Amino acid sequence: MSLYNASDNLCTIEIMRAVLVAERNSLAQEEEARVNSRLKETLQADVYRYRGETSRRAFLSAYLHKPGFRFTYYLRKVASYQEKRGAFGILGSLYNRIQLHRYRFKYGFDISPTTRIGPGLYIGHFGGVVISPQAALGTNVNIAQGVTIGAASRGPRTGAPTLEDRVWVGANAIIVGKVTIGQDALIAPGAYVNFDVPSMAVIIGNPGKQVSSTGSHGYINRTIDPSPLDRAESLK
C-alpha cells in the first residue's frame, strides 16, 4: 500500500506542476497580448499626429521622412519589451535597443524608454531634445527642438516635471523641477519654467510668466483621444 500511495502522490505532484506551468504560460501569453495591443494603439496615435491617418502607407511615410516618429517608434518598442520584462523576443529587444541608440545620437534625442509618455507624442524637429527619465508626459504632447525637461536635484522642487495632456512646448524652452504643466498649456519658445502652470496658460520669457489663458488651442493638431487606461498609465 505504501508503494501505491507514494506513486499516487508523485502523480499528483506532477499533475499539479503541469497545471501551474500551463497557468503561468497562459498568463504570460495574455500579458504579451495586452502589451502588444497597447503598443499598437500608441503607435497609431503617434503616426496620426504626423500624417492624420493610421494606414500602413502613413506609417511608412512617417517612418521614412519624419525623424521624430522614427525615433519614437524604437522608443516605444524598447519600452514595450521592458514591460514584458524580458520574457519574450531577446533578439527583437536587442535589435530595437541598437536602433534606439543609433537614432538617439543621430538626431540628438536624449529620451529614455523608462520615461512615461502617453500616446500621440509629436517631436517636430530633431536636435537637442532632453527629457528626464523621471518626467511624465501626457497624451498628444508637442516637443520642439532644443527643449529640456529636466529634474532638479535639490530645493523645494526636487524631482522632474509632469506635462499633462495636449501641452505644447516651443523651441529651446526649459522646464525643470517637480512642477506640473496643466492640460492644454503652451510654453513659448525660449521660456524658462520652474513653477506649476495652470491649464490653458500661455507662458513666455525667462523667467517665465503667464500672459494669457488661450492655451495650446490650434497648436495641437491631428489627435486621437486615448483610452482612460492609457491616459492614467502615462501620468501615474
Side-chain angles (χ1 to χ4, degrees):
M1 290 294 295
S2 60
L3 289 175
Y4 284 116
N5 288 337
S7 178
D8 288 343
N9 288 338
L10 286 173
C11 288
T12 301
I13 291 172
E14 290 301 319
I15 291 171
M16 291 178 64
R17 284 178 178 174
V19 170
L20 289 173
V21 169
E23 289 180 348
R24 189 180 300 115
N25 289 339
S26 177
L27 289 173
Q29 290 172 358
E30 290 177 4
E31 176 67 10
E32 184 180 19
R34 182 189 66 81
V35 171
N36 288 339
S37 176
R38 182 175 297 178
L39 173 64
K40 180 180 178 180
E41 292 176 0
T42 298
L43 286 172
Q44 285 178 336
D46 291 336
V47 75
Y48 193 84
R49 296 299 316 281
Y50 290 88
R51 288 295 184 244
E53 56 180 292
T54 60
S55 65
R56 292 183 180 179
R57 181 177 180 179
F59 177 91
L60 182 61
S61 174
Y63 181 87
L64 292 176
H65 303 294
K66 297 294 182 179
F69 177 75
R70 189 181 305 163
F71 175 85
T72 300
Y73 171 77
Y74 290 110
L75 185 75
R76 302 292 196 190
K77 292 282 285 185
V78 172
S80 176
Y81 278 109
Q82 288 181 340
E83 193 173 353
K84 296 173 187 178
R85 299 179 182 179
F88 306 93
I90 294 176
L91 292 179
S93 176
L94 180 60
Y95 170 78
N96 284 284
R97 284 183 177 277
I98 291 172
Q99 290 294 86
L100 180 64
H101 186 74
R102 172 190 175 192
Y103 289 120
R104 175 186 181 186
F105 286 96
K106 181 175 181 178
Y107 297 134
F109 296 143
D110 189 1
I111 307 173
S112 170
T114 62
T115 305
R116 290 165 292 163
I117 303 175
L121 176 66
Y122 181 88
I123 305 176
H125 302 279
F126 65 87
V129 175
V130 179
I131 300 179
S132 168
Q134 303 170 39
L137 278 63
T139 63
N140 298 315
V141 171
N142 276 40
I143 303 294
Q145 71 273 19
V147 165
T148 297
I149 300 173
S153 58
R154 65 181 184 182
R157 295 287 188 179
T158 299
T162 296
L163 279 62
E164 296 185 345
D165 300 341
R166 299 175 301 280
V167 171
W168 189 91
V169 186
N172 300 311
I174 297 174
I175 305 171
V176 63
K178 191 174 179 60
V179 299
T180 298
I181 311 300
Q183 293 184 7
D184 302 290
L186 185 150
I187 310 300
Y192 178 83
V193 179
N194 62 347
F195 52 88
D196 290 334
V197 173
S199 298
M200 297 295 296
V202 175
I203 307 296
I204 68 170
N206 183 0
K209 62 179 180 179
Q210 182 175 348
V211 295
S212 76
S213 298
T214 55
S216 61
H217 178 71
Y219 286 85
I220 305 290
N221 302 308
R222 295 183 294 199
T223 64
I224 295 178
D225 290 333
S227 68
L229 179 61
D230 286 335
R231 181 180 290 108
E233 285 290 327
S234 64
L235 293 176
K236 72 179 181 179

